[in-house]
Amino acid sequence: MPAIPLELVILMLAYLRDDKQSLSHCSLVCRGWAPLAYQHRFRTITVHKPRLGLSIAMDRLLTRLRTAPHLKSYIQELVLTANELAPAPHQTLHAGSLRTLLLELNELRILRISHANLVLPSPTIPPALLCTVRKLSVLSLAA
């Protein structure tokens, strides 16, 4: 059976970049397609679980990354969004938990946090928190 040219596979996966389910299916077609599909599938990870709360959702993401460490290198953008109408504990994001997650994401370039009560050890964002991500170029904090 003739192989599909790599250029066509790359174009097809780029076209599907916003369709997470299709990218997941494409990653199962053959071993050669998996890393190409993962580049799009895991480029941006959004953590938004209104019923669980932000801390629990982050813990689940961390667990998944530790059981599938090969996925870490594909994550370039992390979006953490709390439900602004949820009770305060569901909106809480502790700096220590965030730092633990950020230590796992060596390729992270963009971090967006919105509607979260970021609990810091001091009134400012500690430099140690930001230094954990060397490639970070965009930090967005929104109320």
Side-chain angles (χ1 to χ4, degrees):
M1 175 182 266
I4 298 173
L6 182 60
E7 295 84 3
L8 290 179
V9 174
I10 290 170
L11 285 172
M12 177 185 66
L13 294 173
Y15 178 79
L16 296 171
R17 71 180 169 268
D18 295 326
D19 186 347
K20 304 282 188 192
Q21 185 176 10
S22 293
L23 287 168
S24 294
H25 292 301
C26 288
S27 71
L28 300 174
V29 170
C30 73
R31 289 183 188 151
W33 286 28
L36 300 169
Y38 291 162
Q39 286 176 358
H40 297 288
R41 171 67 180 88
F42 295 103
R43 178 179 306 261
T44 300
I45 298 294
T46 302
V47 176
H48 175 71
K49 301 289 185 193
R51 292 189 179 163
L52 287 178
L54 201 50
S55 293
I56 294 172
M58 280 182 43
D59 288 343
R60 286 188 177 180
L61 173 61
L62 191 58
T63 300
R64 181 168 184 192
L65 291 175
R66 287 181 175 160
T67 58
H70 63 284
L71 300 178
K72 296 176 194 178
S73 63
Y74 298 107
I75 300 173
Q76 294 184 12
E77 180 176 2
L78 179 62
V79 180
L80 303 172
T81 305
N83 182 351
E84 57 192 293
L85 301 176
H90 283 24
Q91 297 176 1
T92 302
L93 176 59
H94 294 276
S97 300
L98 180 59
R99 185 173 188 273
T100 302
L101 180 59
L102 294 179
L103 283 170
E104 299 287 335
L105 303 175
N106 297 326
E107 299 299 319
L108 191 68
R109 289 171 168 65
I110 301 169
L111 174 60
R112 300 181 195 283
I113 302 173
S114 61
H115 304 297
N117 294 328
L118 188 56
V119 178
L120 301 170
S122 67
T124 60
I125 295 177
L129 181 62
L130 297 179
C131 290
T132 58
V133 187
R134 299 187 189 279
K135 296 184 180 180
L136 191 67
S137 60
V138 175
L139 173 62
S140 172
L141 301 173

